[in-house]
């Protein structure tokens, strides 16, 4: 069960236990499981990008050494990751 999707689609849900959602008064909230399963996390690209960005030390090393080619490569690598995982 995708708890993040449930909370995004149903603002009154405060707790999810097993496959059941509850509001603040512990009342069961009926959810549309198809809508929950179809939900796409609009922030999913952030984690994907973060795991593939080159280390920032590559950029800093280029700055310290005055190596413009290394700086340009770092920027190009970052832009390639952004293109691979665009914002939703």
């Amino acid at each position: 069960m995708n708890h993040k999707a449930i909370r995004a689609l149903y603002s009154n849900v405060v707790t999810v236990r097993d496959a059941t959602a509850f509001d603040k008064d512990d009342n069961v909230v009926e959810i549309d499981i198809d809508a929950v399963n179809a939900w796409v996390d609009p922030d999913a690209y952030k984690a994907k990008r973060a795991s593939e960005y080159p280390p920032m030390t590559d950029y800093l090393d280029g700055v310290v050494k005055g190596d413009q080619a290394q700086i340009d490569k770092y920027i190009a690598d970052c832009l390639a990751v952004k293109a691979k995982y665009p914002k939703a």
Side-chain angles (χ1 to χ4, degrees):
M1 181 79 34
N2 187 339
H3 294 207
K4 189 171 182 180
I6 292 170
R7 287 191 170 86
L9 296 171
Y10 301 92
S11 60
N12 59 327
V13 170
V14 295
T15 306
V16 179
R17 293 189 298 266
D18 297 321
T20 308
F22 299 89
D23 66 11
K24 66 179 177 60
D25 298 319
D26 214 30
N27 297 314
V28 173
V29 176
E30 295 297 322
I31 60 172
D32 178 353
I33 195 68
D34 291 331
V36 170
N37 290 335
W39 183 77
V40 176
D41 185 352
D43 295 324
Y45 74 94
K46 292 177 183 178
K48 291 176 181 175
R49 282 182 179 183
S51 69
E52 290 195 29
Y53 279 137
M56 191 174 220
T57 53
D58 292 354
Y59 175 79
L60 293 174
D61 185 55
V63 171
V64 170
K65 294 187 303 189
D67 185 343
Q68 190 60 46
Q70 185 175 347
I71 294 169
D72 292 343
K73 180 182 180 328
Y74 177 86
I75 293 170
D77 291 348
C78 287
L79 292 174
V81 171
K82 288 179 179 288
K84 184 176 179 181
Y85 301 112
K87 291 182 181 180

